[in-house]
Amino acid sequence: MKNELVIAVSGLNNTDNPGPGIPVIRALRDWKGKKVRIIGLSYDHLEPGLYLPNWVDKSYQVPYPSAGSDNLMLRLKYIHSVEGLDFIFPNFDAELFTYMKMAPELQSMGIHTFLPGLDQFEERHKYRLPEFGEKYQLAVPKSLSVNSLSEVPAALSQFEFPVVVKGKFYEAYIAYSMDQVHNYFHRIQAKWGLPVIFQQFIQGSEYNVVALGDGRGNTIGAVPMRKQYITDKGKAWAGITLDEPALIEMTRKLIAANQWRGGMELELIKDRNGQLYIVEINPRFPAWVYLAVAAGQNMPAAAVKLAFGEEVPPFEHYEVGKMFVRYSWDNIVNLSDFEKISTLGEL
Amino acid sequence: MNLRLKNNIAVSDSGFVFNPSTGDSFSINPVGIDIIQLLRASKSEHDIIEDLSERYDADTQTIEKDLYDFFTLLLQHQLAEKA
């Protein structure tokens, strides 16, 4: 591996519903003995990461995944011709499928990725969680995919209120009545499309684990966290690392079973009887990944090393009781920078 | 009832208690710190009541009742388990 790597990172939306881009970049910049040049990939002119020159060396606007992989590949080829990319870190759920499909072509261009395979990615979708749980003997809440409003009554008859109504990529609401279910169904359908997922509500404490699998069944890193402050969007604004072996064991079991490759975030709930349920498997590092780095496990850097074929021994320790507390900051930006990204698509 | 404090519970001199399994933290008063330290030393409920009776100006019945309430809180917050 070269001493200086050029790494493209998406998810620069460091908003109140933050993408993982800036935390991943922060982790890469912490990589001891490695110099990194960071290329930001943005979808919107106002993604805050565009305007953080200490973190992002150069940014390029890229087409939305919905524009098709050909358009994205064309843009990446241009960026590669200018920057000489070594690695791409896609950080949005919605773009991962496209990047996974493009991974062989990117590799042939000398651009590495470290992503799960299509099968692994597909089987952990929220709407396939029951099959996933059964296949790998993991406890999951009962879930149903609902593909139209007419299916709602039949689906609901299989649940007791409250029921969790979820979008296929993001957003979840707890509904206590039929009216609320309809309201959330429409809201989620309009934003994320179908199916909408109904999930059994489990009363208990929520936990999260950030982890890295090497694609051969080994868990390279795993750090559990409990949210201490949650925004109205359900995002962690503060959190703390935990010493809870059961969470790590469940993560290892999952990664060993489906040979996960890449970063992931598990969302789990422990009910009153101490039974752990996997509620969601997010196929990328979460926005709070830097907490794990600060606690001693630089998983983003380890993912790049693995992509380059380096042997990476599993992390054995992390600091328990390490906290993060987010803050907001009004970054002052010159109109000329906004103009550049708006008109030229580069900054 | 006799309690056993969970091994990984962290307690500072200032009375800050952190449960690393759940992420919960608490502040306890000096009497609470005494009780936690006695539990750490594997003292029984009977020993703790005796110890507190010697240290604090309160009748045994009040100490018993307050200790029971405190034990209940420790169990509720998963800081201790029944021995």
Side-chain angles (χ1 to χ4, degrees):
Chain A
M1 204 183 342
K2 297 186 289 185
N3 282 335
E4 182 171 352
L5 292 177
V6 182
I7 301 180
V9 181
S10 69
L12 306 181
N13 53 326
N14 221 31
T15 62
D16 63 338
N17 184 4
I22 296 298
V24 163
I25 292 168
R26 195 174 172 194
L28 295 172
R29 294 236 184 259
D30 271 11
W31 188 350
K32 286 189 180 71
K34 187 66 66 181
K35 212 172 163 200
V36 289
R37 175 171 163 78
I38 298 293
I39 306 302
L41 304 177
S42 74
Y43 292 102
D44 189 282
H45 305 151
L46 286 174
E47 287 182 29
L50 287 169
Y51 304 99
L52 297 171
N54 291 337
W55 298 102
V56 182
D57 295 298
K58 173 87 193 242
S59 293
Y60 294 85
Q61 189 153 9
V62 291
Y64 279 104
S66 54
S69 57
D70 290 348
N71 285 328
L72 180 59
M73 182 53 91
L74 209 59
R75 183 65 170 153
L76 290 176
K77 279 181 176 167
Y78 167 73
I79 297 168
H80 185 49
S81 73
V82 179
E83 302 291 347
L85 301 177
D86 295 303
F87 189 92
I88 297 184
F89 241 119
N91 282 308
F92 283 117
D93 292 15
E95 66 185 4
L96 284 174
F97 182 81
T98 309
Y99 275 101
M100 281 186 288
K101 277 207 311 189
M102 295 191 310
E105 192 176 349
L106 290 170
Q107 187 71 41
S108 72
M109 293 157 58
I111 305 174
H112 296 70
T113 54
F114 199 66
L115 302 169
L118 281 169
D119 289 345
Q120 297 163 316
F121 178 78
E122 287 297 318
E123 71 179 3
R124 54 88 246 167
H125 273 301
K126 288 177 202 178
Y127 54 86
R128 295 184 63 182
L129 206 55
E131 297 163 50
F132 187 88
E134 198 173 329
K135 182 174 175 186
Y136 297 117
Q137 297 296 297
L138 296 163
V140 298
K142 184 176 166 183
S143 304
L144 272 182
S145 300
V146 184
N147 286 293
S148 74
L149 197 58
S150 62
E151 291 178 19
V152 169
L156 268 185
S157 69
Q158 300 192 40
F159 293 91
E160 285 178 11
F161 283 113
V163 63
V164 186
V165 185
K166 293 182 148 186
K168 66 178 171 183
F169 290 125
Y170 300 105
E171 288 196 27
Y173 299 96
I174 299 168
Y176 292 85
S177 67
M178 184 69 98
D179 281 349
Q180 282 186 330
V181 169
H182 279 136
N183 182 8
Y184 296 142
F185 184 93
H186 287 301
R187 192 184 299 185
I188 288 170
Q189 183 191 1
K191 203 161 174 187
W192 302 113
L194 293 166
V196 172
I197 295 106
F198 290 180
Q199 197 171 77
Q200 173 194 1
F201 175 77
I202 296 169
Q203 184 83 45
S205 304
E206 188 186 326
Y207 300 93
N208 297 65
V209 180
V210 56
L212 173 66
D214 70 354
R216 290 174 292 172
N218 301 307
T219 298
I220 299 300
V223 174
M225 180 274 288
R226 169 110 185 257
K227 295 174 185 175
Q228 293 176 297
Y229 186 107
I230 300 174
T231 68
D232 56 358
K233 287 186 176 153
K235 303 297 163 190
W237 199 258
I240 188 163
T241 57
L242 302 176
D243 174 21
E244 180 52 290
L247 295 168
I248 307 273
E249 274 167 35
M250 196 146 192
T251 307
R252 286 200 176 127
K253 190 178 170 191
L254 188 156
I255 288 177
N258 93 332
Q259 310 266 301
W260 188 266
R261 186 173 191 262
M264 66 149 60
E265 180 196 28
L266 286 184
E267 295 182 19
L268 305 111
I269 290 185
K270 189 192 268 186
D271 72 11
R272 287 172 184 162
N273 303 317
Q275 168 74 51
L276 273 176
Y277 293 87
I278 294 179
V279 179
E280 259 183 59
I281 303 160
N282 295 318
R284 36 107 197 124
F285 289 125
W288 59 273
V289 64
Y290 191 78
L291 176 68
V293 180
Q297 298 196 4
N298 193 336
M299 289 185 238
V304 179
K305 287 182 201 168
L306 286 166
F308 277 86
E310 287 197 3
E311 275 302 314
V312 180
F315 291 104
E316 289 177 358
H317 305 287
Y318 60 89
E319 194 178 331
V320 174
K322 199 76 162 175
M323 291 172 60
F324 76 91
V325 182
R326 280 193 185 132
Y327 66 100
S328 60
W329 175 268
D330 295 345
N331 194 20
I332 303 304
V333 172
N334 291 322
L335 181 64
S336 57
D337 285 345
F338 181 68
E339 180 192 335
K340 275 184 204 157
I341 190 71
S342 304
T343 56
L344 304 174
E346 296 183 19
L347 177 61
Chain B
M1 106 180 109
N2 289 319
L3 289 195
R4 185 170 42 233
L5 200 67
K6 287 190 178 170
N7 285 337
N8 59 354
I9 302 297
V11 186
S12 75
D13 293 342
S14 63
F16 182 80
V17 178
F18 172 57
N19 182 348
S21 298
T22 64
D24 292 327
S25 54
F26 311 87
S27 287
I28 55 175
N29 65 16
V31 187
I33 299 174
D34 283 349
I35 298 170
I36 294 269
Q37 281 168 349
L38 290 164
L39 283 172
R40 272 263 156 82
S42 304
K43 298 289 182 191
S44 67
E45 182 186 21
H46 176 76
D47 292 343
I48 294 172
I49 291 168
E50 227 170 49
D51 192 293
L52 293 176
S53 301
E54 284 170 19
R55 282 199 237 183
Y56 296 98
D57 183 19
D59 60 81
T60 309
Q61 208 179 348
T62 306
I63 288 175
E64 270 181 22
K65 183 191 159 297
D66 288 353
L67 185 64
Y68 182 82
D69 288 347
F70 189 67
F71 275 10
T72 306
L73 281 173
L74 292 177
L75 288 170
Q76 191 183 322
H77 292 294
Q78 301 169 52
L79 296 165
E81 49 206 2
K82 286 183 183 169

